Amino acid sequence: MCLAVPGELVEIDDGDCLTLKGRVSFGGVIKEVNLAFVPEARVGDFVTVHVGCAMSVLDTEEAARSLHAFGELDTLP
């Protein structure tokens, strides 16, 4: 099974669709991400990221649920 982690898109680099990249914040940790699969993503959107590629755009409610679930994992013994 693969895991896609939600993060907030904070910056988009200009470029063509195949080289479209941006920076995504994962709880304050910023990583460069390939945005070729989600060219519709805009700064402020939440995206799911797997191995450096944004796979989908989440609405705000879904992002909040996902982030809450990841937070719950942190409290497990």
Side-chain angles (χ1 to χ4, degrees):
M1 178 197 305
C2 297
L3 179 64
V5 180
E8 182 178 4
L9 184 58
V10 295
E11 185 179 335
I12 297 174
D13 295 334
D14 291 332
D16 62 54
C17 184
L18 295 176
T19 60
L20 186 59
K21 294 185 180 178
R23 286 170 191 69
V24 175
S25 174
F26 300 96
V29 176
I30 308 294
K31 296 289 184 179
E32 187 171 88
V33 171
N34 184 312
L35 301 173
F37 295 133
V38 290
E40 73 278 10
R42 300 291 174 248
V43 170
D45 285 347
F46 284 86
V47 294
T48 57
V49 178
H50 175 66
V51 293
C53 294
M55 305 302 288
S56 65
V57 177
L58 299 174
D59 64 43
T60 306
E61 291 177 13
E62 181 64 24
R65 284 192 298 270
S66 294
L67 292 170
H68 178 74
F70 276 96
E72 291 290 313
L73 292 173
D74 193 37
T75 64
L76 294 174

